[in-house]
Amino acid sequence: LAKTTQPISMDSYEGQEVNITCSHNNIATNDYITWYQQFPSQGPRFIIQGYKTKVTNEVASLFIPADRKSSTLSLPRVSLSDTAVYYCLVGYNNNDMRFGAGTRLTVKP
Amino acid sequence: DGGITQSPKYLFRKEGQNVTLSCEQNLNHDAMYWYRQDPGQGLRLIYYSQIVNDFQKGDIAEGYSVSREKKESFPLTVTSAQKNPTAFYLCASSTTRGRTTYEQYFGPGTRLTVT
């Protein structure tokens, strides 16, 4: 059974870099890894998407090793407003796609 | 503005009643999805549709029904057969560009409370 696994929670301090890892052993060969951010009582918001190696945009970086069995979302210099739940979404064979259970990030002053 | 809308934001129903949640998108997306989220939990897929007049069950389809008569609309009905309907319901849409997992755009959600 396909499973997308993330840590339940993480704590950080303002200005630090935060790395959140997602495990996806059986990712489909042609599929991408996508990360979302969600604030309470809101819909998730797209952060970044990648297939392999490294992807960077204005808010985050995504690191994907050659075997693609995991991926790491990197948030540089977090602020209090980055406190949220972060989800990875991965596609598996037979059009099966799975969100991880989410990582609750708490940024402290 | 392009986007995806859900209405209402809050919905209250008595046990035993069916209720329909609205989801509309003007992004010209082919695919639409319904998720359920319980407090402190992740997103679980209820139903999805990749094209008009076609939809597939997700992981927790029992007690729910959908229709996809128009590209823009994907309403979800929570039936009386759903044993624990109180939850936060999220609708999403995405393009289909030959990848299995696409960037999904989410609506603001509907919080359903059944008593």
Side-chain angles (χ1 to χ4, degrees):
Chain A
L1 181 65
K3 193 168 183 180
T4 307
T5 306
Q6 311 175 226
I8 294 174
S9 64
M10 296 182 70
D11 289 344
S12 182
Y13 291 92
E14 282 190 290
Q16 290 188 334
E17 178 184 77
V18 170
N19 296 309
I20 305 173
T21 297
C22 180
S23 297
H24 32 78
N25 284 339
N26 299 312
I27 184 173
T29 302
N30 62 343
D31 215 329
Y32 284 66
I33 299 137
T34 313
W35 284 83
Y36 294 84
Q37 176 192 55
Q38 186 181 29
F39 297 110
S41 297
Q42 295 184 22
R45 184 180 69 171
F46 172 86
I47 300 174
I48 197 167
Q49 184 177 64
Y51 182 78
K52 62 179 180 179
T53 62
K54 177 184 176 181
V55 179
T56 298
N57 62 21
E58 62 275 10
V59 298
S61 294
L62 180 59
F63 298 91
I64 305 167
D67 65 8
R68 299 194 346 112
K69 293 183 177 181
S70 66
S71 57
T72 299
L73 173 72
S74 181
L75 305 172
R77 299 179 298 281
V78 294
S79 64
L80 297 177
S81 63
D82 292 317
T83 293
V85 180
Y86 293 83
Y87 293 95
C88 60
L89 171 64
V90 178
Y92 298 92
N93 292 328
N94 302 318
N95 283 328
D96 183 19
M97 57 180 182
R98 301 271 166 179
F99 275 93
T103 298
R104 185 174 301 276
L105 173 65
T106 303
V107 180
K108 303 175 183 179
Chain B
D1 288 339
I4 181 165
T5 58
Q6 294 183 241
S7 61
K9 189 169 180 64
Y10 298 95
L11 191 55
F12 298 88
R13 281 292 183 271
K14 294 290 186 183
E15 192 173 325
Q17 294 179 334
N18 290 355
V19 59
T20 297
L21 281 58
S22 168
C23 178
E24 303 279 333
Q25 54 98 1
N26 60 4
L27 300 168
N28 199 32
H29 286 167
D30 290 311
M32 297 187 74
Y33 313 81
W34 273 106
Y35 294 92
R36 170 182 172 137
Q37 189 173 39
D38 293 286
Q41 303 296 313
L43 288 80
R44 292 187 290 169
L45 183 64
I46 304 173
Y47 269 99
Y48 67 99
S49 168
Q50 294 184 325
I51 196 169
V52 173
N53 292 323
D54 187 48
F55 47 83
Q56 286 78 41
K57 293 181 179 180
D59 295 328
I60 55 166
E62 185 176 349
Y64 299 98
S65 66
V66 294
S67 63
R68 187 84 187 277
E69 297 176 0
K70 297 186 300 182
K71 187 176 185 177
E72 303 79 21
S73 179
F74 192 41
L76 173 75
T77 297
V78 184
T79 74
S80 57
Q82 168 53 232
K83 296 178 181 178
N84 298 296
T86 295
F88 188 49
Y89 290 89
L90 287 159
C91 180
S93 70
S94 69
T95 59
T96 53
R97 295 198 199 121
R99 302 196 303 242
T100 305
T101 303
Y102 322 109
E103 177 184 345
Q104 296 184 25
Y105 293 77
F106 283 83
T110 292
R111 188 168 298 281
L112 173 64
T113 302
V114 177
T115 58

